[in-house]
Structure formats: structure tokens, C-alpha cells
Amino acid sequence: ETGVTQSPTHLIKTRGQQVTLRCSSQSGHNTVSWYQQALGQGPQFIFQYYREEENGRGNFPPRFSGLQFPNYSSELNVNALELDDSALYLCASSPDTGELFFGEGSRLTVL
Amino acid sequence: GEDVEQSLFLSVREGDSSVINCTYTDSSSTYLYWYKQEPGAGLQLLTYIFSNMDMKQDQRLTVLLNKKDKHLSLRIADTQTGDSAIYFCAETSWQGYKLSFGAGTTVTVRA
């Protein structure tokens, strides 16, 4: 039990739609990161937020955006969904000590 | 670059030792991690090693780091059926804001 919960656990969208994935982390975890894990691959870093500001971004287009809220929850938004966006999306939070605690993920299928 | 490479599959008999290997290219890597992912689940941190160490032991797990060759290994002693999973090697640089993962090694434990 990592204390990181993600919702929804599974969802299906069609190409061109928009999706919002949510993450709730432990109190005191000021950093939240999002990763995309395509089938059969390792997770790929999307971006990281620290105290509600983006402070690092991977090689993902601007249609991937995020928000972090003062209550230690966060969102990942993806606009104009493409088939290749089908993946498991993982949220990870960390206290200032740096250890990452991962949630179980949200599995997105784009048809 | 920040490539992390792992062998894709490992089959081991119950009770034997498993050794999972990983190579990385980023010479500025500061922390190296091993994560475990069971089917349908998120990532579980197994252990990590700081780049100025060459070995770390934690119960059945032994991590060896050869920084000169950029080679990391995870040895699991007395492998059990519950160890069947995908194991990911990951590294982070001094910036610390993202993890770069390998593609994962699927470990199958046979009776």
C-alpha cells in the first residue's frame, strides 16, 4: 500500500476525445510525477510537479498537460487523443526525501 | 542519452538464484533502482543503490553496481513463485526529477 490512489482504473475513449486522469497522494508529498507505460515497455516520464508548478517535462507534446492542487491531488489531461495514447498511466508521489511511491495506474484504451 | 537496457526474459527454477542484468548510458546517474511489477499492478520499489556504492544487500536481494561499465544487476536468492513478475531497472541523474526505465525483464519461476 503506497498511499497513492488513481482514478479511474480503466477507461475507453475514442480518437480525438479528451481525458482527465486523477491521482491522490499522501499528505506531505510535495512532488508528483506522471509516467506513460505502453504495453510491453517501461514507463516513460511525462512531467513532474513540485508545489503546484511544473518543474520537469519529458518528450511529450503540449496536448499532455497537468495540474497539481494544494490538497496533494493532481490531474493529467490529454487532448485530441490518438491511438498511440493507449497505455497505463502511472502517478508517483514523493516526499522531499525523493523516494517515489507509485499508484496502481489508470489503463486508457483509445479506439 | 539516458538509455537503459535489460534482457527481456528470465526463467528460473524455484529455490535457485535469479540474476537480472541492466546497462545504462548516462554517466551522471546518481541513483539506480529496481522495481517490481506484478500483472495489473503498479510499480513496487524493491531496492536502490547510490552511485558511489558497489554493492547493497537487503534480505534476499543483492544489488551489484559496476560504475565503470555502467552495469547493474539484481540477484534474488532462493527464488519463489511469488517472485514471478516484471522487473524494471531505472536510473536518475543528479537533477533527480525523472526516472529513466528499461523495458523490463519478465521473470518466470518454474516448479
Side-chain angles (χ1 to χ4, degrees):
Chain A
E1 179 59 50
T2 64
V4 180
T5 56
Q6 294 187 240
S7 62
T9 54
H10 296 83
L11 72 166
I12 299 173
K13 292 284 189 177
T14 56
R15 201 167 42 179
Q17 285 189 309
Q18 180 266 344
V19 69
T20 297
L21 307 178
R22 294 182 172 83
C23 174
S24 175
S25 52
Q26 293 183 43
S27 175
H29 284 200
N30 295 311
T31 301
V32 66
S33 308
W34 286 89
Y35 288 79
Q36 180 197 65
Q37 186 180 13
L39 198 62
Q41 297 183 23
Q44 298 289 316
F45 174 76
I46 303 175
F47 44 56
Q48 176 175 285
Y49 281 78
Y50 177 73
R51 294 183 187 267
E52 302 161 51
E53 299 271 339
E54 185 182 299
N55 75 336
R57 190 177 182 93
N59 190 24
F60 281 81
R63 58 190 186 83
F64 285 77
S65 63
L67 286 171
Q68 184 185 23
F69 303 102
N71 65 352
Y72 303 105
S73 65
S74 62
E75 289 180 356
L76 165 65
N77 298 289
V78 187
N79 293 323
L81 283 166
E82 301 176 1
L83 297 179
D84 285 349
D85 296 333
S86 294
L88 179 68
Y89 289 86
L90 296 163
C91 168
S93 71
S94 57
D96 291 344
T97 56
E99 180 179 344
L100 287 183
F101 295 84
F102 281 87
E104 302 276 303
S106 294
R107 184 164 297 283
L108 170 66
T109 302
V110 182
L111 302 176
Chain B
E2 301 144 343
D3 290 333
V4 179
E5 294 191 357
Q6 305 176 235
S7 52
L8 294 182
F9 300 99
L10 175 67
S11 177
V12 62
R13 192 160 40 199
E14 190 176 10
D16 287 352
S17 292
S18 310
V19 179
I20 309 167
N21 294 301
C22 169
T23 58
Y24 59 97
T25 58
D26 189 353
S27 57
S28 67
S29 296
T30 50
Y31 285 96
L32 296 121
Y33 301 84
W34 285 102
Y35 283 87
K36 177 182 180 183
Q37 187 175 40
E38 297 185 63
L43 296 174
Q44 174 194 353
L45 176 65
L46 289 177
T47 187
Y48 65 92
I49 189 168
F50 189 55
S51 61
N52 70 351
M53 299 168 64
D54 52 20
M55 186 182 95
K56 181 177 180 181
Q57 186 151 4
D58 184 1
Q59 298 181 22
R60 292 192 297 124
L61 305 178
T62 303
V63 179
L64 295 178
L65 174 61
N66 181 328
K67 194 172 180 183
K68 174 176 168 289
D69 294 339
K70 300 189 184 67
H71 181 267
L72 182 74
S73 67
L74 174 69
R75 177 177 180 269
I76 306 172
D78 186 24
T79 311
Q80 304 297 307
T81 54
D83 296 324
S84 292
I86 303 176
Y87 291 80
F88 291 96
C89 167
E91 61 87 21
T92 187
S93 69
W94 65 270
Q95 294 169 306
Y97 67 74
K98 74 170 193 177
L99 290 179
S100 295
F101 286 85
T105 300
T106 299
V107 173
T108 303
V109 181
R110 60 187 193 277

